[in-house]
């Protein structure tokens, strides 16, 4: 067997053993294992891309697999994309500079003097008109 494969396999076995022993004591590192494996695959794919200077099928698969492991599968990636989209939309709403003005303020001109001149509400006018008949 290749020496690098033995070292990586041994490190994984040691990490799994440490994780099992710590979980018996109430310390759970299961999520950390997925993060380490995913980050390792991302680094390996990135370093292969840097060595070759171009994308190959293998580097794309390695980076995609690392991304899937880190974000918890396809659902995690979709949730990440939706979260980024919502953050961008909220940021755009907050930083807009008056382009989306309020419809009520722009479309209607309220004349306060009209309300001040009137003695009765429209309901009162209607009630008086019905009573005088």
């Amino acid at each position: 067997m290749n020496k690098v494969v033995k070292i990586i396999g041994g490190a994984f076995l040691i990490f799994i053993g440490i994780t099992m022993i710590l979980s018996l004591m109430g310390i759970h590192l299961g999520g950390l294992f997925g993060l380490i494996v995913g980050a390792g695959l991302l680094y390996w794919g990135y370093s292969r891309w840097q060595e070759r200077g171009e994308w190959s099928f293998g580097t794309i698969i390695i980076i995609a697999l690392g991304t899937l492991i880190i974000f918890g599968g396809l659902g995690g990636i979709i949730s990440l994309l939706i979260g980024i989209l919502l953050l961008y939309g909220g940021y755009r709403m907050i930083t807009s500079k008056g382009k989306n003005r309020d419809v009520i303020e722009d479309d209607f001109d309220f004349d306060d003097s009209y309300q001040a001149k009137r003695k009765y509400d429209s309901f009162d006018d209607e009630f008086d008109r019905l009573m005088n008949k």
Side-chain angles (χ1 to χ4, degrees):
M1 218 183 235
N2 191 357
K3 187 173 181 172
V4 175
V5 174
K6 284 184 181 181
I7 291 173
I8 292 174
F12 280 141
L13 290 177
I14 290 171
F15 185 76
I16 291 171
I18 289 172
T19 303
M20 289 177 72
I21 291 170
L22 289 175
S23 70
L24 289 173
M25 293 185 279
I27 302 169
H28 301 284
L29 300 175
L32 185 61
F33 181 70
L35 184 65
I36 290 172
V37 171
L41 287 172
L42 281 174
Y43 177 74
W44 184 34
Y46 178 75
S47 64
R48 283 187 60 177
W49 173 65
Q50 288 293 323
E51 287 173 5
R52 295 183 181 185
E54 64 181 4
W55 290 102
S56 68
F57 183 72
T59 57
I60 292 172
I61 294 295
I62 291 170
I63 289 175
L65 186 62
T67 305
L68 283 173
I69 290 173
I70 283 180
F71 291 114
L74 191 57
I77 292 174
I78 291 172
S79 296
L80 175 71
L81 293 176
I82 291 172
I84 289 171
L85 181 69
L86 291 173
L87 284 172
Y88 176 73
Y91 175 76
R92 292 286 298 184
M93 287 177 70
I94 290 172
T95 59
S96 66
K97 295 182 181 183
K99 291 179 183 175
N100 298 330
R101 295 176 297 208
D102 198 13
V103 174
I104 295 174
E105 293 176 3
D106 292 339
D107 293 343
F108 300 105
D109 248 351
F110 292 110
D111 190 12
D112 292 331
S113 63
Y114 175 73
Q115 291 292 336
K117 290 179 186 175
R118 292 203 34 109
K119 186 176 180 182
Y120 301 107
D121 291 339
S122 61
F123 178 74
D124 290 335
D125 290 339
E126 186 67 27
F127 183 75
D128 287 341
R129 188 180 64 80
L130 289 172
M131 294 303 289
N132 290 332
K133 279 188 175 184

